Amino acid sequence: MSGTTRNPRPSERGGCQILDGYPRARWPQAEAAYRWAKARGVPFDLALFFEIGTDELQARLAGRAREEDRSDDTEETVLHRLEVFQRQTYPLLDYYRRRGILVRIDAVGPVAAITERILAALHWHKANALAAGADRPEWAFGTAER
């Protein structure tokens, strides 16, 4: 896999691209990202949503603030980010669910366990797409959420 937030292109070896955190809000932005990718032959197959409770997230960000000496991870700032996320980004989950590409990942636990959950979801998606005969996995799914 390769990760990027700009100008994703299909890998020469058939890999994938990751758009991290985009779009963050509004259906028109999400639809524009989908149309942009489709026009360039880049499948927009999955939207991973990392589920984590507020308390756990606040604890992680407080730890990051201490370890990396980050002044932008104050409790007040974190709470504001969560409010903005709830208001602007959370509604996109329904958009991706209706497209049949939303995959929820339990993001609580050790990094290795979360990584295994992500890889399992990706392998599940690929296996089901191939079993359905799709050369582009997004075509293999209806509106069912995994």
Side-chain angles (χ1 to χ4, degrees):
M1 286 188 201
S2 61
T4 184
T5 55
R6 294 182 182 180
N7 302 323
R9 291 177 204 83
S11 167
E12 291 177 10
R13 292 180 282 154
C16 69
Q17 301 291 319
I18 299 172
L19 298 174
D20 177 21
Y22 178 82
R24 293 177 183 246
R26 300 183 307 266
W27 280 272
Q29 189 180 32
E31 291 167 357
Y34 173 71
R35 286 191 308 274
W36 181 92
K38 189 173 183 176
R40 287 159 180 81
V42 178
F44 207 126
D45 303 313
L46 292 174
L48 301 180
F49 176 63
F50 297 93
E51 295 184 301
I52 183 169
T54 301
D55 291 341
E56 175 74 15
L57 188 57
Q58 286 179 304
R60 286 187 191 181
L61 291 173
R64 181 177 81 169
R66 283 189 307 275
E67 292 171 17
E68 299 177 14
D69 195 29
R70 291 185 58 143
S71 61
D72 62 332
D73 281 341
T74 66
E75 185 175 348
E76 181 180 315
T77 302
V78 169
L79 289 174
H80 175 70
R81 287 184 200 151
L82 291 173
E83 289 170 9
V84 170
F85 175 83
Q86 187 72 21
R87 187 175 60 253
Q88 293 184 0
T89 306
Y90 199 80
L92 281 173
L93 297 180
D94 189 52
Y95 170 80
Y96 292 122
R97 183 192 53 75
R98 283 185 283 116
R99 283 203 45 226
I101 65 171
L102 180 65
V103 176
R104 295 173 179 269
I105 303 290
D106 177 1
V108 177
V111 171
I114 298 166
T115 300
E116 286 299 318
R117 292 176 199 137
I118 294 166
L119 293 174
L122 295 175
H123 289 295
W124 180 92
H125 173 75
K126 181 178 179 180
N128 280 285
L130 293 173
D135 58 348
R136 292 203 35 181
E138 68 184 23
W139 297 344
F141 291 87
T143 58
E145 179 180 347
R146 179 180 180 292

